Coordinates of all heavy atoms in Angstrom, one line a residue:
M1 N 89.3 115.8 114.0 CA 89.3 114.7 113.0 C 88.3 113.6 113.4 O 88.4 113.1 114.6 CB 90.7 114.1 113.0 CG 90.9 113.0 111.9 SD 92.6 112.3 112.0 CE 93.5 113.5 111.1
A2 N 87.4 113.3 112.5 CA 86.4 112.3 112.8 C 87.0 110.9 113.1 O 87.7 110.5 112.3 CB 85.4 112.2 111.7
G3 N 86.6 110.3 114.3 CA 87.1 108.9 114.5 C 88.5 108.9 114.9 O 89.1 107.8 115.0
E4 N 89.2 110.0 115.4 CA 90.6 110.0 115.7 C 90.9 109.0 116.9 O 91.9 108.3 116.9 CB 91.1 111.4 116.1 CG 92.5 111.4 116.4 CD 93.1 112.8 116.5 OE1 92.5 113.8 116.0 OE2 94.1 113.0 117.3
L7 N 90.9 105.6 115.5 CA 92.1 105.4 114.6 C 93.4 105.2 115.5 O 94.3 104.5 115.0 CB 92.3 106.6 113.7 CG 91.3 106.6 112.5 CD1 91.2 107.9 111.9 CD2 91.7 105.5 111.5
I283 N 96.9 107.4 111.7 CA 97.1 108.8 111.8 C 98.6 109.1 112.1 O 99.0 110.3 112.0 CB 96.2 109.5 112.8 CG1 96.3 108.9 114.2 CG2 94.8 109.4 112.2 CD1 95.5 109.6 115.2
R301 N 94.7 112.4 100.9 CA 93.5 112.1 101.7 C 94.1 111.7 103.2 O 94.9 110.9 103.3 CB 92.8 110.9 101.2 CG 92.1 111.0 99.9 CD 90.9 111.8 100.0 NE 90.1 111.9 98.7 CZ 90.3 112.8 97.8 NH1 91.2 113.7 98.0 NH2 89.6 112.7 96.7
E302 N 93.6 112.6 104.1 CA 94.0 112.3 105.5 C 93.2 111.1 105.9 O 92.1 110.7 105.4 CB 93.5 113.5 106.3 CG 94.1 114.8 106.0 CD 95.6 115.0 106.5 OE1 96.0 114.1 107.3 OE2 96.3 115.8 106.0
S303 N 93.8 110.4 107.0 CA 93.2 109.3 107.5 C 92.1 109.7 108.5 O 92.3 110.0 109.6 CB 94.2 108.4 108.3 OG 93.7 107.2 108.6
D304 N 90.9 109.9 107.9 CA 89.8 110.5 108.6 C 88.4 110.1 108.0 O 88.3 110.0 106.8 CB 90.0 112.0 108.4 CG 89.0 112.9 109.3 OD1 87.9 112.3 109.7 OD2 89.3 114.1 109.5
E305 N 87.5 109.8 108.9 CA 86.2 109.2 108.5 C 85.4 110.3 107.7 O 84.6 110.0 106.9 CB 85.4 108.8 109.6 CG 86.0 107.5 110.3 CD 85.3 107.3 111.7 OE1 84.2 107.7 111.8 OE2 86.0 106.6 112.5
S306 N 85.7 111.6 107.9 CA 84.9 112.7 107.3 C 85.5 113.0 105.9 O 84.8 113.8 105.2 CB 84.9 113.9 108.2 OG 86.2 114.4 108.4
E307 N 86.6 112.6 105.6 CA 87.2 112.8 104.2 C 86.5 112.0 103.2 O 85.7 111.0 103.5 CB 88.7 112.4 104.2 CG 89.6 113.3 105.0 CD 90.4 114.3 104.0 OE1 90.9 113.9 103.0 OE2 90.3 115.5 104.4
P308 N 86.5 112.3 101.9 CA 85.9 111.5 100.8 C 86.6 110.1 100.8 O 87.8 109.9 101.2 CB 86.2 112.2 99.5 CG 86.6 113.6 99.9 CD 87.1 113.5 101.3
Y330 N 91.7 104.1 103.4 CA 92.5 105.2 103.8 C 91.8 106.3 104.3 O 92.2 107.0 105.2 CB 93.4 105.6 102.6 CG 94.5 104.7 102.3 CD1 94.4 103.8 101.2 CD2 95.7 104.6 103.1 CE1 95.4 102.8 100.9 CE2 96.7 103.6 102.8 CZ 96.5 102.8 101.7 OH 97.5 101.8 101.5
S331 N 90.6 106.6 103.7 CA 89.8 107.8 104.3 C 88.3 107.5 104.0 O 88.0 106.7 103.1 CB 90.2 109.0 103.5 OG 89.9 108.9 102.1
G332 N 87.5 108.2 104.8 CA 86.0 108.0 104.5 C 85.4 106.9 105.2 O 86.1 106.1 105.9
V333 N 84.2 106.6 104.8 CA 83.4 105.4 105.3 C 82.7 104.7 104.1 O 82.3 105.4 103.1 CB 82.3 105.9 106.2 CG1 81.4 104.7 106.8 CG2 82.9 106.6 107.5
A370 N 87.9 104.5 107.7 CA 89.3 104.8 107.5 C 90.2 104.0 108.5 O 89.8 104.0 109.7 CB 89.5 106.4 107.8
G371 N 91.2 103.4 108.0 CA 92.1 102.6 108.8 C 91.8 101.1 108.7 O 92.6 100.3 109.2

Side-chain angles (χ1 to χ4, degrees):
M1 183 184 280
E4 183 173 333
L7 283 163
I283 56 176
R301 293 281 187 271
E302 299 286 344
S303 191
D304 189 337
E305 292 168 25
S306 62
E307 287 258 311
Y330 287 100
S331 62
V333 177

